[in-house]
Amino acid sequence: MKNRIKVSLYLIVLLSGVIMADFPPAGMVVLDVYGIQRVSAKVTDNGDALTFEELFKAGINTVHFRTTTFGKQFYSQAEWVNDAHEYGMWVCGGGFSDPNTCQYVAGLGVDFIQMDEPYLGKCDDPFNETKYKQCQAYANAATHLTSCPILISEPDCANNIINWPSLEGYAGEYYNDERFHTNKIYANNYLKSHPNGFASQWVWLLAGDFSKPSGSFATGEFFNVRLPDSKFETWFSSAWNDYKNILLFIFNRKATGSAQDSDFGLGTNWSHRSAYMAKTTGLGETPPQWKNFSPASAVANSAPDCQVMVQSTTVGLDPASVQCFYSVSGPINTNRRWIRHWDVSAEGTKGTKEWVTIKAKNIPINNVSGSVNRVMFKITDTYPYKYYRGPRTFRRDFNVNISALDFTNLRNNGVVDSLSAAVSVDVQSAAGLDVTSASCEYSTDGGKSWTAHTAKCTGTAGSTGKETITADSMPFTEDRETVNRLRFSIKTSGGAVLSSAAFPVKVRTGPVISQVTPERGS
């Protein structure tokens, strides 16, 4: 098809050692993100929010944000860009006609930049080709890439802008029938003057009330009219067939949003439209499925073993990529702090489409709660890079209900002139304790590796009271509780093993006074 655009802008992206080129990809479907809390890896519900997995299913492979409307409920902007990249998404950063905006979003690590309405509706606005070149200079100076293409979107002045010889990409906007026709003409004019250029079309999934041209986001008058499915399908399929690149304005809610806060959505037709997009582009995929997380019920253990099963029937998974994190910092809708847990594994060969069982041992949750404890697993697929940055990393987090702790009251006494420390913890079990089986192990690298060490426990065989386990002279090599870890274990009278959390250990050091030989004659 003569209108299919072969992109000749090349970008080298360094991501996990993978060098990518040929960007932007021919076959890009971009979601305009208005408030990142509505599209994120940290939102796992199936209600109003959209997850990255749902974007894949709809055939959306790129996300776009504007610095002026960027929600911060879950992320900093840099964290969100990094997370989107980890999911394999391309990321576009956008803003108005300010070269400093180009510099800022390029520094966040975006893959390309969209200058939204650089004339702000006035063709005599002072933004000009000189400022555009300054944007290019800022973007290309970013240390993470060798080129950061810039798309210009401005339908009112497009015939002026497309005459700039240095223009790297054009994005036409249309959200009514008049602009639909006019901006296709603008895009084709751009391609005639820039045969190696990149053209895309912004397809609005909601349209304005054009009887009120003075309406705004704030009042909801201009952008609160939802397009019928038939109109959306006509615009989407036409733009896709002509350019193979669509930039969607969706505003991130599957249900109707509030006009007061300008957080609009698709209404109840998200399922229909996402299925239509996937069918039209051929990019939609079924994300991995998760099942059988355990422990499924409350456990009385401060360091439980957890496991879950995951499967991808589309392109397969890489079991060697599995990672585990845990958190005790609050419910899902808060700024949650995740801590890496290293003792995790998954069996299987790279690319497997069978169910993969992930196992994580002795996760040091150490928090009695049925609501805030979470364990998250991450695993990468084997996507062959056709439209994405690289393999996608999928994740799920699960609640872990700790009903009681066996180990409590950790305490230690640092020795002033060395890094040795005696560390004690209290232990109690209604099943009775085998006090002779007490042991411990320590880590000096934050829990990546462990070394066995002796320990002793007070009390007599079968004790159901509170006893104390002590580990003497722990050979820690640094005075840093960020890397020093210690965990205990003991058997019950019935032979079950109780394992503690991986406690951080702080030791105290003071000045070491060496032997001094007096000078002769002193």
Side-chain angles (χ1 to χ4, degrees):
M1 183 180 295
K2 66 179 181 180
N3 286 328
R4 184 180 179 114
I5 309 305
K6 175 61 180 175
V7 178
S8 61
L9 295 173
Y10 287 88
L11 171 70
I12 298 177
V13 177
L14 297 178
L15 179 66
S16 302
V18 178
I19 298 179
M20 298 296 296
D22 194 21
F23 181 84
M28 181 171 62
V29 183
V30 184
L31 174 68
D32 188 318
V33 175
Y34 183 84
I36 57 172
Q37 73 275 15
R38 290 298 165 190
V39 175
S40 90
K42 295 185 180 181
V43 175
T44 57
D45 65 77
N46 292 317
D48 205 28
L50 289 167
T51 65
F52 284 120
E53 287 92 337
E54 287 178 300
L55 302 192
F56 290 136
K57 191 173 182 179
I60 296 171
N61 53 23
T62 312
V63 284
H64 166 271
F65 72 90
R66 310 172 190 217
T67 58
T68 55
T69 57
F70 201 95
K72 298 180 181 179
Q73 286 82 344
F74 292 102
Y75 294 85
S76 70
Q77 297 183 18
E79 288 173 325
W80 187 82
V81 171
N82 181 73
D83 226 16
H85 280 162
E86 186 173 307
Y87 267 82
M89 307 294 285
W90 301 100
V91 182
C92 173
F96 292 110
S97 53
D98 177 9
N100 291 329
T101 299
C102 292
Q103 184 178 33
Y104 174 71
V105 295
L108 293 176
V110 302
D111 302 296
F112 63 108
I113 295 171
Q114 181 253 336
M115 296 298 290
D116 186 34
E117 300 179 2
Y119 286 90
L120 300 177
K122 298 182 297 182
C123 292
D124 58 352
D125 192 271
F127 186 85
N128 51 35
E129 189 175 6
T130 299
K131 288 188 177 181
Y132 177 74
K133 290 181 178 179
Q134 183 62 59
C135 284
Q136 288 181 307
Y138 282 146
N140 296 338
T143 58
H144 66 285
L145 36 77
T146 59
S147 176
C148 189
I150 299 173
L151 304 183
I152 290 287
S153 61
E154 175 45 58
D156 294 331
C157 303
N159 281 329
N160 181 3
I161 292 176
I162 64 176
N163 291 327
W164 297 354
S166 61
L167 190 63
E168 294 176 328
Y170 169 78
E173 298 181 12
Y174 51 82
Y175 37 85
N176 63 21
D177 288 328
E178 180 181 355
R179 285 196 171 181
F180 177 83
H181 175 73
T182 302
N183 284 299
K184 291 183 70 171
I185 295 175
Y186 286 165
N188 289 329
N189 288 342
Y190 163 73
L191 292 174
K192 291 177 183 177
S193 60
H194 299 76
N196 293 322
F198 169 70
S200 60
Q201 293 290 288
W202 297 100
V203 178
W204 286 75
L205 299 195
L206 55 153
D209 182 351
F210 294 97
S211 66
K212 300 178 181 178
S214 61
S216 67
F217 279 111
T219 63
E221 293 174 345
F222 194 70
F223 295 106
N224 64 356
V225 179
R226 274 70 183 172
L227 290 175
D229 289 339
S230 58
K231 178 64 66 177
F232 162 72
E233 291 172 7
T234 297
W235 290 3
F236 185 92
S237 60
S238 176
W240 176 259
N241 290 333
D242 286 342
Y243 304 105
K244 294 300 178 189
N245 289 289
I246 305 293
L247 293 93
L248 301 163
F249 281 74
I250 296 187
F251 294 103
N252 319 338
R253 285 183 187 252
K254 287 179 283 188
T256 301
S258 166
Q260 284 70 35
D261 62 8
S262 306
D263 197 359
F264 305 108
L266 292 172
T268 57
N269 55 359
W270 161 253
S271 297
H272 173 85
R273 293 191 181 186
S274 62
Y276 182 84
M277 289 187 287
K279 180 180 179 180
T280 302
T281 64
L283 298 177
E285 294 185 44
T286 301
Q289 304 299 305
W290 302 76
K291 70 176 184 178
N292 296 348
F293 173 77
S294 65
S297 57
V299 293
N301 192 338
S302 61
D305 294 343
C306 295
Q307 72 175 46
V308 71
M309 299 180 71
V310 60
Q311 181 187 40
S312 171
T313 58
T314 303
V315 293
L317 299 172
D318 180 6
S321 70
V322 69
Q323 295 180 349
C324 177
F325 299 81
Y326 67 94
S327 175
V328 295
S329 60
I332 194 64
N333 60 346
T334 64
N335 291 317
R336 177 177 289 277
R337 177 174 177 263
W338 293 100
I339 303 170
R340 180 78 177 269
H341 181 66
W342 296 91
D343 194 352
V344 61
S345 62
E347 296 183 354
T349 58
K350 187 174 182 178
T352 180
K353 295 183 180 180
E354 302 297 324
W355 283 101
V356 173
T357 299
I358 301 173
K359 296 181 179 180
K361 297 181 179 179
N362 298 316
I363 303 176
I365 293 175
N366 196 35
N367 181 54
V368 177
S369 174
S371 61
V372 302
N373 300 324
R374 308 288 294 189
V375 171
M376 178 172 66
F377 297 99
K378 298 166 64 174
I379 192 167
T380 299
D381 70 6
T382 54
Y383 198 86
Y385 309 161
K386 184 176 181 181
Y387 290 112
Y388 296 85
R389 296 175 61 99
R392 287 79 56 90
T393 300
F394 293 88
R395 67 194 70 182
R396 278 292 180 273
D397 62 276
F398 303 89
N399 179 71
V400 180
N401 187 353
I402 302 296
S403 60
L405 294 180
D406 304 304
F407 297 87
T408 58
N409 191 26
L410 179 77
R411 54 204 180 275
N412 63 288
N413 300 302
V415 180
V416 173
D417 61 354
S418 77
L419 288 171
S420 298
V423 185
S424 299
V425 68
D426 294 334
V427 61
Q428 186 174 16
S429 173
L433 296 172
D434 176 1
V435 296
T436 64
S437 66
S439 63
C440 74
E441 53 185 353
Y442 68 93
S443 173
T444 59
D445 57 12
K448 296 179 182 179
S449 60
W450 293 88
T451 302
H453 191 76
T454 58
K456 57 185 179 181
C457 183
T458 61
T460 58
S463 172
T464 57
K466 184 176 292 185
E467 304 295 345
T468 299
I469 302 177
T470 302
D472 291 320
S473 302
M474 299 304 304
F476 293 114
T477 58
E478 294 185 70
D479 182 15
R480 290 197 296 152
E481 62 180 329
T482 57
V483 296
N484 297 329
R485 294 286 186 273
L486 180 63
R487 62 189 182 194
F488 297 89
S489 63
I490 192 170
K491 292 181 180 179
T492 67
S493 297
V497 177
L498 304 178
S499 299
S500 78
F503 297 111
V505 179
K506 181 175 177 58
V507 296
R508 297 184 286 113
T509 60
V512 178
I513 302 176
S514 301
Q515 182 178 358
V516 177
T517 302
E519 292 184 8
R520 186 172 303 213
S522 61

